[in-house]
Amino acid sequence: SSAASDVYKRQVFVGLVCFYLLMCVMGVNWWLAIAGAFAFAFASYNIIIIEAGHIVKAYVIGYMPVTLAGMALLFRRSYLWGAVLFLLGVALSLANGHIQITYYLVLLCLLIYVGYAVRKIKEKAYGEWLKTSLIMAACVVLAVLPNAQGMYSNWDLGPVSYTHLTLPTNSL
């Protein structure tokens, strides 16, 4: 249908733009950034999950590069744009509500954060590390606030979801 086609186009566009942005932040040549963005957006897994109807999952995967670009900028002392991109990536990931992929994003961000933190501590750049950490923490809080109700509902209903139900057995 036309509506489904529009959803596919929007999701692919999100993947293209977000990954291109990450590549530019990482200093990749513009034509390689374009090629990388196409490789990311049209990766077979993304196409498969879109076709299977996992649109929200595809969107959260598409927003991951924005979060990572924000982290990179924050640790390079580009605090304003880093905070904007990091906040945007985290907020959009949470707003889409795909807990599994958001969890993977959190794990990835934690690993990257540890790498950056170790480097800053080795450089004895404690002030930069602290400032970046506080900005990231503030961004996470700001991203969680508008999404708190949905996140609480997921947490509250988790124990009674269909994945945790015990089906009755017929014993004669």
Side-chain angles (χ1 to χ4, degrees):
S1 82
S2 177
S5 175
D6 289 343
V7 170
Y8 299 153
K9 290 174 191 173
R10 283 193 303 268
Q11 194 290 318
V12 168
F13 182 73
V14 164
L16 283 168
V17 170
C18 293
F19 199 82
Y20 179 77
L21 186 60
L22 174 62
M23 292 294 94
C24 289
V25 165
M26 299 308 287
V28 174
N29 183 303
W30 68 269
W31 63 272
L32 283 175
I34 290 172
F38 273 93
F40 177 77
F42 290 101
S44 61
Y45 182 72
N46 291 341
I47 302 304
I48 290 168
I49 63 174
I50 292 169
E51 277 298 316
H54 299 283
I55 303 301
V56 172
K57 183 178 193 176
Y59 272 115
V60 175
I61 290 170
Y63 297 134
M64 283 181 166
V66 172
T67 308
L68 302 178
M71 285 185 74
L73 287 172
L74 283 168
F75 275 102
R76 292 181 191 164
R77 295 179 303 214
S78 180
Y79 297 116
L80 178 61
W81 283 110
V84 167
L85 293 179
F86 185 71
L87 174 62
L88 186 65
V90 174
L92 289 171
S93 295
L94 292 173
N96 277 280
H98 198 285
I99 297 169
Q100 177 189 11
I101 301 301
T102 303
Y103 172 74
Y104 295 152
L105 176 61
V106 169
L107 291 178
L108 179 60
C109 287
L110 285 173
L111 290 172
I112 292 170
Y113 174 81
V114 168
Y116 277 120
V118 166
R119 182 189 319 160
K120 291 296 180 186
I121 291 169
K122 281 184 178 180
E123 294 171 355
K124 298 188 190 299
Y126 305 115
E128 284 180 32
W129 170 70
L130 181 62
K131 183 175 183 178
T132 300
S133 298
L134 291 173
I135 291 171
M136 289 175 69
C139 288
V140 169
V141 168
L142 289 173
V144 165
L145 286 175
N147 297 298
Q149 183 177 2
M151 292 171 66
Y152 178 76
S153 295
N154 281 329
W155 175 80
D156 189 41
L157 295 173
V160 294
S161 73
Y162 70 91
T163 58
H164 293 93
L165 289 178
T166 303
L167 297 176
T169 58
N170 291 335
S171 44
L172 298 172

